């Protein structure tokens, strides 16, 4: 089945300008997540409670992923190239952080939420930890689970030619979020076996998707598996469905912009996302109370809309630069911050001047190390992945990068990221 092509769109600005606003959004999101984790440990008096900084940053990331990832796949028209590029975009720094946390385990115990058996290996290999009801080695890894679920769904929809119905899926997952909140108080699938089954299906399915044999069947199995795990095995089913609604809303915004969709699905999905925790059984946290939750959503949406409105203008270079290193910054900051109390003690008990100095030093170190890992780990591996993706596979011709392929190459899509 050949996926329908998108209609021609009007010319866009140059690649740099077109992508700068997305990088700026990632920079804003990464800094928000960093502050969400830094302030409670270092300067708790400055932490806001009228909205959630971390969730705000994560929602911005998810909107960016929804906006760029599906159209990137469609622009390539090459599922194999898409997944090779994604793997070399996400896994190198991810594996580096896994190694860092395990090495730190000699001094700082690994989180209790990480299973002490092979199910943890399966969960981390697939990046599906959160929808497998287990913690990641780094706290921020939970969002990568929903990024992976989204990629699997987007691939399945693409091979079946359903990818243009983004607005419908945004609304559908919004309805699922509300419904899951009303009826599910805990995951229905427990124990380690979902991780083992998902690990096998993921590895076999990826071989088929990338290799080309049984690609359509494998993509559909992986897409169904992703939805089932999100709704019946994840920590908070309503939140998982709601996150997918947010990501498909980002795609629906892009469709609206391209003239193959309208504003109604975007508005309907936004209302459903806002309502999802209101009557939810699992809604006892301060940040999902209606006033805080809706304020966080509005701020994230306004930030995304504001960046879209300014995308033709020159944006502040520091913010755009932070977007380039945002994936490293997102994954590295939490393990590094955990080292500080282990070395210095409780920073919260220190004078405010010392708190400020330690906080500034930590931010500088995290940003500096994130730039180094971006420069010497992320970029070389992304380049290698692009070269590999453009090589012809057995029985398939290599596709050219195309305009959206260029976007994909520089798009991080957290990922990407809170906690």
């Amino acid at each position: 089945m050949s996926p329908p092509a998108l209609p021609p769109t009007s010319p866009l600005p140059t690649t740099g300008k077109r992508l700068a606003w997305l990088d700026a959004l990632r920079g804003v999101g990464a800094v928000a997540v960093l502050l969400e984790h830094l302030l409670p440990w270092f300067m708790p008096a400055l932490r806001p409670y009228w909205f959630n900084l971390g969730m705000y940053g994560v929602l911005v990331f998810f909107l960016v992923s929804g906006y760029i990832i599906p159209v990137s796949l469609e622009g390539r028209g090459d599922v194999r190239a898409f997944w090779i590029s994604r793997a070399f975009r996400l896994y190198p720094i991810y594996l580096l952080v896994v190694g860092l946390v395990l090495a730190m385990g000699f001094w700082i115990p690994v989180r209790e939420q990480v299973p002490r058996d092979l199910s943890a290996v399966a969960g981390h290999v697939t990046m599906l930890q959160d929808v497998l009801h287990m913690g990641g080695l780094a706290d921020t890894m939970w969002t990568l689970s929903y990024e992976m679920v989204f990629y699997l769904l987007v691939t399945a929809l693409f091979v079946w030619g359903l990818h243009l119905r983004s607005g419908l899926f945004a609304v559908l997952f919004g309805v699922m979020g509300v419904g899951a909140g009303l009826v599910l108080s805990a995951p229905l699938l427990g124990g380690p076996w979902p991780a083992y089954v998902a690990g096998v299906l993921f590895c076999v399915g990826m071989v088929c998707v990338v290799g080309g044999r049984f690609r359509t069947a494998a993509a559909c199995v992986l897409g169904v598996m992703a939805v089932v795990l999100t709704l019946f095995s994840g920590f908070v089913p309503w939140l998982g469905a709601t996150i997918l609604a947010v990501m498909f809303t980002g795609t629906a915004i892009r469709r609206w912009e391209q003239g193959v969709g309208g504003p109604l699905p975007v508005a309907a999905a936004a209302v459903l996302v806002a309502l999802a925790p209101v009557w939810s059984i699992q809604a006892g946290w301060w940040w999902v109370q209606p006033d805080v939750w809706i304020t966080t959503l509005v701020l994230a949406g306004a930030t995304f809309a504001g960046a879209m409105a300014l995308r033709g203008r020159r944006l502040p270079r520091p913010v755009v630069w932070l977007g380039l290193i945002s994936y490293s910054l997102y994954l590295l900051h939490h393990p590094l911050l955990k080292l500080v109390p282990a070395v210095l003690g409780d920073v919260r008990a220190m004078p405010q001047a010392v708190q400020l100095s330690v906080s500034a030093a930590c931010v500088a170190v995290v940003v500096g190390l994130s730039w180094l890992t971006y420069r010497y780990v992320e970029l070389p591996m992304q380049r290698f992945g692009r070269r590999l993706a453009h090589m012809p596979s057995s029985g398939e011709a290599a596709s050219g990068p195309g305009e959206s392929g260029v976007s994909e190459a520089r798009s991080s899509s957290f990922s990407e990221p809170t906690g």
Side-chain angles (χ1 to χ4, degrees):
M1 180 181 296
S2 299
L6 286 169
T9 55
S10 58
L12 292 171
T14 62
T15 297
K17 287 184 179 180
R18 183 184 59 193
L19 293 175
W21 71 284
L22 296 174
D23 286 330
L25 282 171
R26 294 188 187 98
V28 170
V31 170
V33 175
L34 169 63
L35 291 176
E36 172 66 18
H37 292 138
L38 182 144
L39 292 178
W41 292 351
F42 295 82
M43 305 184 71
L46 297 182
R47 185 187 188 188
Y49 286 94
W50 55 278
F51 82 108
N52 186 295
L53 259 173
M55 185 55 64
Y56 159 80
V58 168
L59 290 171
V60 169
F61 279 133
F62 285 143
L63 284 169
V64 170
S65 288
Y67 181 88
I68 192 66
I69 290 299
V71 179
S72 171
L73 170 59
E74 294 153 17
R76 288 176 176 273
D78 186 345
V79 172
R80 172 184 173 272
F82 170 79
W83 275 103
I84 291 175
S85 294
R86 283 292 85 197
F88 281 91
R89 174 67 184 96
L90 296 179
Y91 276 97
I93 187 64
Y94 172 81
L95 294 175
L96 178 66
V97 172
V98 166
L100 172 64
V101 174
L102 291 176
M104 287 171 50
F106 289 102
W107 300 277
I108 301 174
V110 173
R111 302 172 66 200
E112 293 180 359
Q113 294 90 340
V114 179
R116 267 52 174 180
D117 55 37
L118 289 177
S119 67
V121 176
H124 283 79
V125 166
T126 62
M127 290 192 183
L128 293 172
Q129 305 97 319
D130 206 69
V131 297
L132 290 170
H133 204 75
M134 68 175 68
L137 284 167
D139 294 42
T140 51
M141 288 178 177
W142 74 269
T143 59
L144 299 185
S145 299
Y146 299 101
E147 288 285 335
M148 185 60 73
V149 166
F150 185 64
Y151 299 160
L152 295 174
L153 278 172
V154 165
T155 303
L157 295 175
F158 179 73
V159 299
W160 275 98
L162 300 174
H163 53 288
L164 297 183
R165 301 179 182 179
S166 307
L168 172 64
F169 288 104
V171 174
L172 180 61
F173 280 109
V175 171
M176 289 183 183
V178 174
L182 289 171
V183 302
L184 296 177
S185 60
L188 298 181
L189 302 178
W193 70 267
Y196 295 130
V197 173
V200 172
L201 289 177
F202 183 87
C203 292
V204 174
M206 280 294 106
V207 170
C208 295
V209 167
V210 175
R213 290 180 61 85
F214 309 110
R215 174 175 289 163
T216 299
C220 292
V221 168
L222 290 174
V224 171
M225 178 193 76
V227 174
V228 170
L229 291 177
T230 300
L231 292 177
F232 302 116
S233 181
F235 275 105
V236 186
W238 73 261
L239 181 60
T242 298
I243 287 172
L244 292 176
V246 170
M247 298 176 88
F248 276 107
T249 298
T251 314
I253 291 172
R254 184 67 178 266
R255 304 292 188 212
W256 179 14
E257 183 183 39
Q258 292 175 312
V260 292
L264 186 58
V266 175
V271 170
L272 290 167
V273 169
L275 292 176
V278 173
W279 303 286
S280 173
I281 302 171
Q282 288 182 303
W285 309 283
W286 67 271
W287 54 272
V288 295
Q289 299 308 306
D291 55 341
V292 179
W293 174 255
I294 293 174
T295 301
T296 305
L297 291 177
V298 169
L299 288 175
T303 302
F304 188 85
M308 281 190 72
L310 296 174
R311 61 184 166 176
R313 301 185 181 184
R314 185 177 298 276
L315 298 172
R317 284 191 176 185
V319 181
V320 175
W321 179 78
L322 284 171
L324 292 177
I325 66 169
S326 58
Y327 187 43
S328 282
L329 180 62
Y330 180 77
L331 284 181
L332 279 173
H333 80 270
H334 202 272
L336 294 176
L337 290 179
K338 290 175 72 173
L339 284 172
V340 178
V343 175
L344 299 180
D346 190 352
V347 180
R348 296 169 298 181
M350 299 177 182
Q352 286 189 350
V354 177
Q355 291 179 359
L356 183 60
S357 299
V358 171
S359 300
C362 287
V363 170
V365 169
V366 168
V367 170
L369 289 176
S370 298
W371 178 82
L372 289 174
T373 55
Y374 169 75
R375 176 66 179 81
Y376 296 106
V377 178
E378 289 193 65
L379 276 182
M381 296 307 292
Q382 288 179 51
R383 289 167 182 157
F384 178 75
R386 289 200 293 274
R387 290 197 298 270
L388 184 61
H390 297 150
M391 292 173 60
S393 63
S394 176
E396 292 184 336
S399 63
E403 183 178 81
S404 294
V406 174
S407 300
E408 163 66 7
R410 290 194 47 202
S411 297
S412 63
S413 151
F414 281 45
S415 278
E416 276 167 33
T418 166

